[in-house]
Structures are given as structure tokens and as C-alpha cells.
């Protein structure tokens, strides 16, 4: 609320005109989406959590200049917005706009050392959404196996894992720092590999591996994780270091 009172409307739609067409059906204000991105980074929220905040929090509606009855938007809009910013090289422009306004208002020193790296902001938000995605993928597989084969699940699924993923991942407060996020990602990855190993160990009913949620888990783990040289360490995939997963190897079981 202080952001709105002190700074007014920080981001105008005109700053994003190169990334958003002016023809066709009116869309969601890119200026508002930019402010949502800043708020979700500040509060360490995933896209789904940020979209829920826009729908349900009065302070966010006030900051964004929305009426109380505004229904908000689907969380996927935020990912699409970031993609447009990167595609049109506007991410730096967006965050520099905020910094310039803060300097104008005397809220920060003009020559102070400030983080203006938009890539850092984008990467942090992306990490949170990757964490939510892998966590929800694993939770969905656990639920599907529990329903389809309750006796097998009771015998082969670790009780600690069931407790860990009992609640939806968007209800978690995810780590704010990168080491914490990577530690959690490794834990989720280890749990996923453990579940896949149990499903595909040759002793389980073959049809368990054909459950759609399990197949999604298998493919997501190929995309999001790699194993260390000894096959024990679970590493969150970094495309710049580990490369992209080979499409021809999609039938290889990550166990």
C-alpha cells in the first residue's frame, strides 16, 4: 500500500508496447503484470500464489489500482508475460523503471549500490515455479498410486514421503535463498527417483508404470534432473551446464 501511496503507478503499458500488440481483444495490463512480478519476487511467491494474492488480497489490489471485485487472472499469464519480456529484451527496462522512480522520490541514493539485475529476479521467480511444478508432479503421482494400488503403496511408499507431500505445494513457504531452493529441489528429486525405482523394480505390477501421473513424473524427472557420476547424487538440471535432455532418450527410465 505504501508503494502505491509513495510511487503511484510505477509501470505504464506504453513501456511494453513492443511486446504486446495493440490490436484485437484487450488483455491484462502489462504494467500491472510487471508490478505483480516485483511483488511476487519481494514476497517469494510462485506464479500460482501471486495470482491468488491478486484475487484475494486487498493490499495487492490497492497497489495495482484494481477494484475490490476484480477477478484477477490465471497464473499462467505471469509465465507468458516473462517470456514476452525476455523475447523482446524488455526485462531490464521494466526493473530500471522502478529504480528510476525510487531515485526520483529520494527513497534510494542515486549512486548507491543496488541490484538492478533483472535476470536475477526472473531466475528466482522461475526457480520457485520449477519447485512447485516438480513437487506437484510428485504429489500427483503419489495420490494416483495410492488410489490405484493402496496395498502396494502402503508397502512400498515411505511414510515420511507421504507426510511431506500431503499438502499442495502452493501451500508451502518455499526457501528464499538459492541454496535453500536447490536443497529442496534435490530432496524432491531424490524422493521422485525413489518412487520411480519402486514402480519399475520388476517386482511391482507392470501396469503401475502405465498410470498417466507416473508417466508424467518419469518424463518430468528426465527434463528437470540429472544424476551424478556415481548415480547417487541428484542434481537439479541447469541447461547451461548439463544441457537439454535428448528427445531420443525419453524411453530411458530415470531409476
Amino acid at each position: 500500500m505504501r508503494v502505491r501511496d509513495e510511487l503511484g503507478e510505477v509501470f505504464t503499458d506504453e513501456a511494453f508496447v513492443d511486446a504486446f500488440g495493440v490490436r484485437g481483444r484487450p488483455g491484462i495490463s502489462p504494467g500491472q503484470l510487471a508490478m505483480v512480478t516485483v511483488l511476487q519476487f519481494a514476497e517469494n511467491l510462485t506464479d500460482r500464489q501471486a495470482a491468488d494474492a491478486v484475487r484475494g488480497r486487498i493490499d495487492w489490489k490497492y497497489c495495482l489500482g484494481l477494484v475490490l471485485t476484480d477477478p484477477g487472472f490465471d497464473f499462467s499469464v505471469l509465465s507468458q508475460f516473462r517470456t514476452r519480456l525476455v523475447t523482446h529484451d524488455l526485462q531490464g527496462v521494466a526493473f530500471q523503471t522502478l529504480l528510476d522512480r525510487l531515485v526520483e522520490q529520494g527513497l534510494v541514493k542515486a549512486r548507491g549500490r543496488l541490484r538492478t539485475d533483472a535476470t536475477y529476479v526472473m531466475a528466482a521467480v522461475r526457480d520457485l515455479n520449477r519447485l512447485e511444478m516438480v513437487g506437484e508432479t510428485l504429489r500427483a503421482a503419489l495420490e494416483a498410486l495410492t488410489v490405484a494400488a493402496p496395498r502396494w503403496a502402503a508397502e512400498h511408499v515411505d511414510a515420511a514421503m507421504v507426510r511431506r507431500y500431503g499438502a499442495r505445494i502452493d501451500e508451502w513457504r518455499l526457501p528464499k535463498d538459492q541454496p535453500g531452493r536447490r536443497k529442496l529441489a534435490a530432496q524432491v528429486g531424490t524422493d521422485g527417483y525413489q518412487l520411480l525405482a519402486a514402480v519399475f523394480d520388476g517386482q511391482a505390477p507392470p501396469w503401475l508404470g502405465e498410470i498417466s501421473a507416473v508417466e508424467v513424473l518419469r518424463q518430468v524427472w528426465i527434463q528437470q534432473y540429472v544424476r551424478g557420476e556415481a548415480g547417487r547424487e541428484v542434481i537439479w538440471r541447469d541447461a547451461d551446464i548439463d544441457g537439454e535432455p535428448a528427445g531420443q532418450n525419453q524411453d530411458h527410465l530415470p531409476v
Side-chain angles (χ1 to χ4, degrees):
M1 294 176 68
R2 286 193 60 195
V3 169
R4 187 71 181 188
D5 290 339
E6 296 283 346
L7 305 180
E9 183 182 16
V10 178
F11 303 107
T12 62
D13 292 347
E14 286 74 14
F16 306 95
V17 67
D18 291 340
F20 293 83
V22 296
R23 298 179 61 184
R25 182 179 178 183
I28 300 168
S29 163
Q32 290 176 337
L33 293 177
M35 179 55 75
V36 170
T37 302
V38 171
L39 292 175
Q40 75 173 118
F41 172 74
E43 296 198 17
N44 201 52
L45 303 179
T46 66
D47 288 350
R48 194 184 300 271
Q49 291 170 330
D52 287 342
V54 173
R55 279 190 293 272
R57 286 178 51 175
I58 294 177
D59 54 342
W60 277 48
K61 287 182 182 294
Y62 183 84
C63 181
L64 296 170
L66 300 174
V67 298
L68 294 179
T69 56
D70 190 279
F73 49 80
D74 186 80
F75 71 94
S76 61
V77 170
L78 289 168
S79 175
Q80 296 167 6
F81 172 70
R82 291 194 301 273
T83 299
R84 284 175 178 260
L85 288 187
V86 173
T87 301
H88 292 83
D89 198 25
L90 289 175
Q91 63 270 36
V93 174
F95 292 99
Q96 188 63 43
T97 298
L98 175 59
L99 181 58
D100 291 343
R101 182 66 64 84
L102 292 172
V103 172
E104 289 175 5
Q105 296 293 322
L107 297 175
V108 297
K109 295 180 180 180
R111 295 183 180 181
R113 294 186 63 185
L114 302 169
R115 177 177 286 281
T116 58
D117 186 359
T119 303
Y120 173 83
V121 175
M122 296 291 192
V125 173
R126 178 173 177 268
D127 281 352
L128 291 172
N129 286 288
R130 284 182 70 192
L131 269 175
E132 183 182 72
M133 186 265 291
V134 294
E136 274 299 291
T137 300
L138 177 52
R139 191 180 70 85
L142 283 169
E143 287 192 348
L145 287 167
T146 300
V147 172
R151 180 175 299 179
W152 179 90
E155 295 175 355
H156 294 85
V157 177
D158 192 309
M161 192 189 304
V162 174
R163 290 193 300 271
R164 191 152 44 238
Y165 303 99
R168 286 182 58 88
I169 309 305
D170 57 12
E171 296 178 6
W172 295 18
R173 298 301 296 183
L174 298 174
K176 291 185 177 182
D177 59 289
Q178 188 179 61
R181 291 193 293 268
R182 291 201 169 274
K183 181 179 179 181
L184 178 58
Q187 176 67 67
V188 176
T190 299
D191 290 340
Y193 280 123
Q194 180 181 328
L195 183 62
L196 288 168
V199 169
F200 293 107
D201 71 350
Q203 302 298 317
W207 56 268
L208 292 182
E210 299 175 2
I211 296 175
S212 60
V214 174
E215 172 59 15
V216 170
L217 175 68
R218 187 186 72 83
Q219 297 225 12
V220 167
W221 256 235
I222 291 174
Q223 296 164 3
Q224 299 297 327
Y225 291 100
V226 294
R227 305 298 290 267
E229 293 183 2
R232 296 178 181 178
E233 185 182 7
V234 176
I235 303 170
W236 210 11
R237 183 182 291 277
D238 184 328
D240 293 332
I241 299 174
D242 306 307
E244 299 289 345
Q248 291 85 351
N249 294 332
Q250 293 299 299
D251 289 334
H252 175 66
L253 299 179
V255 296

